Amino acid sequence: MAVPRLSVVIPMYNEEAVLPLLVSRLRPVLDGLGQTYEVVAVDDGSRDATAAIVTLIRAKWPELRLVRLRRNSGHQAALTAGLHRSHGDYVVTIDADLQDPPETITEMLHLAQSQELDIVYGVRGDRASDTLFKRGTANLYYRLMRRIVGNRMPLGAGDFRLLSRAMVDALRELPEQAPVYRLLVPWLGFPSGQVVYTREKRAAGSSKYPLGKMVNLTVDSIISFTAAPLRLGIWLGVFGALACVVAAAKVLVAYFQGTVVPGWTSLSLVVLFLGACQLICLGLLGEYVGRIYQGVQARPAYFVGEDSLAEAESRARTRQRRPLEEPDEESDPLPHLGNLTVRSLD
Ligand code: UDP
Ligand code: MG
């Protein structure tokens, strides 16, 4: 297969509602680039018709490729699958819901090529379309992350970005079990630029990032980059010990003065306080030990169930080997999805 100039990786989880809108906006932009491209749609174990719709669209859009993960593995794992299976000299990762305008890709590619950059971040200039809660939590997240990885991480840069092949190869070499690309990309220190864009409203469907997934992403982000929270335990311990010294002095004074120390309240407070400190520290240790355990298990983050390109290549190889044999079932260009047989649109 010839290497395309650009790969566009799109993770999708239950995005059937938005797919036709996405294609109608993305395709003209990519066709207008005047450069070769491929679109890698990563279906992250959707339970709706996402994969079936991509398969239908593929019949009319040969540059579109479908990679299906066997189960829902999460946004970052879907990105990993897409990055690992893309071939382009440049790779753009973009959400399926049109919150990141596809038109910005042209500007990103132009900037990367003209200034020889390895990273072009899409930076959200205006995110008025997001809810107050989303903006608040995102703001907190970015400030915290910048404390961890430093100012190289632009404020408001999500997973809409362009990466060079060198950058993608560098990311692939990292042994991360749960990669968080927003942090890993700036941390590698490759030359970067930015394109500011206005975050639009989700074009259709609802958010696939509930609070639980947001918390998971934040915990992964913190734990994969810093052991500082473990130190919190030491500080809590020091603080607790100082508080106990003060309390002990008071108790001793009361003892020598002969006053009866009621004691119960303060004792309870101390026990509760220290108990809480110990539990917090145990919890923190548990998080790190859990990550070490995952690292030792070294399970892959995703399993690919189907890859339209790999299947096409294997069919081509079979045809080369048996040119005169009758066509068999494998030559059906549209795969069978469970008990749903997909037919062409026309
Ligand atoms: N997504 C995914 N797997 C998941 C959750 C989300 O592939 O488990 C995809 C989703 O289809 C979308 C992108 O990740 O293309 C960002 O998700 P979404 O737009 O729902 O997040 P939000 O913008 O609400 O933070
Ligand atoms: Mg979105």
Side-chain angles (χ1 to χ4, degrees):
M1 178 202 159
V3 174
R5 189 74 176 138
L6 178 72
S7 297
V8 180
V9 171
I10 318 175
M12 300 174 180
Y13 179 52
N14 294 341
E15 296 288 9
E16 61 181 10
V18 87
L19 272 176
L21 300 166
L22 172 69
V23 172
S24 66
R25 262 184 71 187
L26 182 65
R27 190 168 182 182
V29 172
L30 298 180
D31 285 342
L33 287 175
Q35 311 203 32
T36 50
Y37 70 85
E38 65 171 354
V39 177
V40 184
V42 184
D43 172 33
D44 185 14
S46 299
R47 283 185 297 271
D48 66 359
T50 299
I53 296 174
V54 172
T55 308
L56 284 175
I57 298 168
R58 254 172 46 71
K60 293 189 163 184
W61 193 11
E63 285 85 1
L64 178 62
R65 180 177 160 199
L66 171 66
V67 173
R68 280 185 87 179
L69 306 191
R70 289 206 180 275
R71 59 177 183 82
N72 181 232
S73 311
H75 182 208
Q76 300 296 306
L79 282 176
T80 308
L83 289 174
H84 285 191
R85 284 171 173 253
S86 62
H87 299 99
D89 297 331
Y90 291 97
V91 183
V92 167
T93 52
I94 184 170
D95 287 354
D97 58 359
L98 289 172
Q99 286 204 276
D100 311 324
E103 294 75 19
T104 312
I105 294 176
T106 313
E107 208 180 325
M108 284 177 157
L109 187 62
H110 179 71
L111 190 69
Q113 286 175 328
S114 60
Q115 298 191 13
E116 294 188 7
L117 300 174
D118 285 293
I119 312 164
V120 179
Y121 297 104
V123 175
R124 299 150 188 186
D126 174 9
R127 47 189 308 166
S129 60
D130 278 335
T131 59
L132 205 66
F133 175 72
K134 187 95 195 170
R135 267 181 285 161
T137 48
N139 199 12
L140 214 69
Y141 174 84
Y142 284 112
R143 288 190 187 283
L144 187 64
M145 293 310 131
R146 268 160 74 99
R147 280 192 78 90
I148 296 174
V149 284
N151 289 349
R152 262 180 305 184
M153 180 184 175
L155 265 184
D159 285 307
F160 180 31
R161 65 175 90 77
L162 176 142
L163 304 171
S164 69
R165 177 58 31 200
M167 182 72 205
V168 174
D169 289 344
L171 284 171
R172 286 190 67 160
E173 280 181 22
L174 297 175
E176 306 288 316
Q177 290 297 309
V180 181
Y181 290 107
R182 295 166 196 210
L183 304 181
L184 286 174
V185 168
W187 177 77
L188 280 171
F190 282 58
S192 66
Q194 300 183 5
V195 169
V196 179
Y197 70 97
T198 303
R199 184 119 166 117
E200 292 171 17
K201 269 208 168 74
R202 183 176 246 283
S206 57
S207 172
K208 306 300 175 304
Y209 248 99
L211 188 64
K213 281 187 181 172
M214 268 155 60
V215 171
N216 277 348
L217 181 72
T218 310
V219 173
D220 277 343
S221 306
I222 296 171
I223 283 180
S224 62
F225 263 86
T226 176
L230 282 177
R231 250 171 262 142
L232 186 72
I234 298 172
W235 287 114
L236 282 175
V238 170
F239 181 69
L242 284 177
C244 283
V245 169
V246 176
K250 265 187 85 176
V251 170
L252 280 176
V253 169
Y255 176 78
F256 286 117
Q257 282 174 347
T259 46
V260 180
V261 182
W264 186 82
T265 319
S266 53
L267 199 68
S268 307
L269 283 176
V270 169
V271 170
L272 282 174
F273 177 71
L274 287 182
C277 288
Q278 282 171 345
L279 285 177
I280 290 171
C281 297
L282 266 181
L284 286 174
L285 272 173
E287 290 290 341
Y288 282 89
V289 171
R291 294 308 188 283
I292 295 169
Y293 181 53
Q294 275 174 3
V296 172
Q297 284 178 320
R299 281 195 197 126
Y302 63 88
F303 286 96
V304 172
E306 178 187 326
D307 181 340
S308 58
L309 180 71
E311 278 162 24
E313 282 176 348
S314 115
R315 272 199 299 274
R317 273 198 300 276
T318 316
R319 246 180 265 126
Q320 271 173 3
R321 253 182 269 131
R322 303 178 299 165
L324 295 173
E325 278 179 26
E326 280 181 19
D328 54 20
E329 266 192 14
E330 272 186 61
S331 60
D332 181 356
L334 299 176
H336 300 268
L337 304 170
N339 55 7
L340 171 74
T341 304
V342 179
R343 293 270 162 251
S344 156
L345 274 174
D346 33 37

